[in-house]
Each structure stands twice: as structure tokens, then as C-alpha cells.
Amino acid sequence: MSDQEKTSLWQGFKAFLMRGNVVDLAVAVVIGAAFTHIVNSVVEGIINPLVGAFGTQNLDSYTSCLKGPCEGTGDAATGVRILWGSVLGATLQFVITAAVVYFLMVLPMAKYLARLEARRKAKEGAHEVVEVTELEVLKEIRDALLAERAQGGGRSLRTDDGGQTGEGR
């Protein structure tokens, strides 16, 4: 490979890494990994004990026997078992994760951004009203001066060197 191809390849790779999407994705992965520990703690510390009040804290122990005899546990188990407890546990953890992310991150951020947008629109609306009002006032002044000039017989508003209003300029 020539030096020019290496430089071009390196520049393309560097441009790819510096795009906003890649950086945003990297930040999301890091935050997601840190947030996973919090969610797992909530599931293990709160949800599993609540579920355990009705059965067991370990949902993995819930199974059904598809083809018997289903005896033993772990590697010594016989028969064909459906491990629906682990599926239920994974589904529950997903729902809890989604709920925590939505209620603790997405919803507050959406409300915050909506407030910022409302403030921005309010500022723009007030600014537009001021501009429209000033423009209307200027138009009214112009119209009044034109009407005055038409009634006054061609009198101009320009001043001569002495500061007096001149006629017919």
C-alpha cells in the first residue's frame, strides 16, 4: 500500500470516528453499561423479593416438564424441561429496565426540553411582536407624512442649511 493510500485510509477512518453519531453511540454504550448495574440492583433488591413473596426469589427455578421423567437439577437433570421462569425473569428485567429508563431519564428530559422550547418560542413571539409593532408604527408615520405632504402643497421635510424646513424640494 502506498503512503497516499494509507493517509487516505487513515483520514477516512478518522472522519468516521469523529462523526457525531459514533461519539454519541459510544457515550450511550458507556452510560448504558453503568446504568445496567443500577437496574440489576433494583431487580435483585426490590423486584425479586416482591416476587419471592408469592413464590421464589429465583425465577429460574420455575420449569415445566415437556417429556418426563423430569428429575434432578442442573447437569444431573433428566427429561425435557421448559425453563419458563428464566424467560419470565428476563422479560420482567426488560420491562423494569425500560420503565426505569423511561420514567427516570426519557420523561424528565422530554419535559425539560419542552420547557426550553416553550421559552424559546415565547422569546421569539415577543421579539416578533415588537418588530411588527415597530414596523407598523413606521408605516403609519410614513403614511401620515405622505398625507401631510399631499395636503400641504408639496412641502418637503428636508431642511436647508439653517435647519428650516424648505418648500418644494
Side-chain angles (χ1 to χ4, degrees):
M1 216 186 278
S2 70
D3 287 339
Q4 186 177 14
E5 289 175 353
K6 287 181 184 177
T7 304
S8 176
L9 184 64
W10 177 250
Q11 288 175 345
F13 181 67
K14 188 175 167 185
F16 167 74
L17 288 179
M18 298 314 258
R19 283 194 297 186
N21 296 351
V22 174
V23 174
D24 291 343
L25 181 60
V27 169
V29 168
V30 170
I31 295 296
F35 193 68
T36 299
H37 183 68
I38 294 171
V39 172
N40 288 338
S41 297
V42 169
V43 170
E44 292 171 8
I46 298 173
I47 303 302
N48 284 350
L50 290 175
V51 172
F54 300 106
T56 178
Q57 289 186 6
N58 185 2
L59 295 177
D60 292 339
S61 65
Y62 289 113
T63 63
S64 294
C65 187
L66 186 62
K67 182 178 179 185
C70 291
E71 298 173 356
T73 58
D75 291 337
T78 61
V80 178
R81 291 188 172 161
I82 297 176
L83 305 173
W84 60 271
S86 60
V87 173
L88 178 64
T91 304
L92 187 60
Q93 185 160 359
F94 171 77
V95 169
I96 292 167
T97 302
V100 169
V101 167
Y102 180 75
F103 290 112
L104 296 181
M105 295 178 71
V106 174
L107 191 62
M109 183 58 72
K111 287 182 179 182
Y112 173 73
L113 292 175
R115 273 190 257 133
L116 284 180
E117 183 66 18
R119 287 181 189 161
R120 185 187 63 80
K121 285 184 178 180
K123 285 181 181 179
E124 283 181 2
H127 187 64
E128 288 176 8
V129 168
V130 169
E131 286 181 7
V132 169
T133 304
E134 290 174 359
L135 184 60
E136 290 298 321
V137 168
L138 290 173
K139 285 180 181 179
E140 289 177 10
I141 292 171
R142 180 200 63 202
D143 293 343
L145 291 173
L146 288 174
E148 184 180 318
R149 183 183 298 166
Q151 290 175 354
R155 198 170 89 186
S156 174
L157 294 177
R158 294 184 198 169
T159 59
D160 57 8
D161 292 339
Q164 302 294 322
T165 304
E167 292 289 330
R169 288 191 187 173

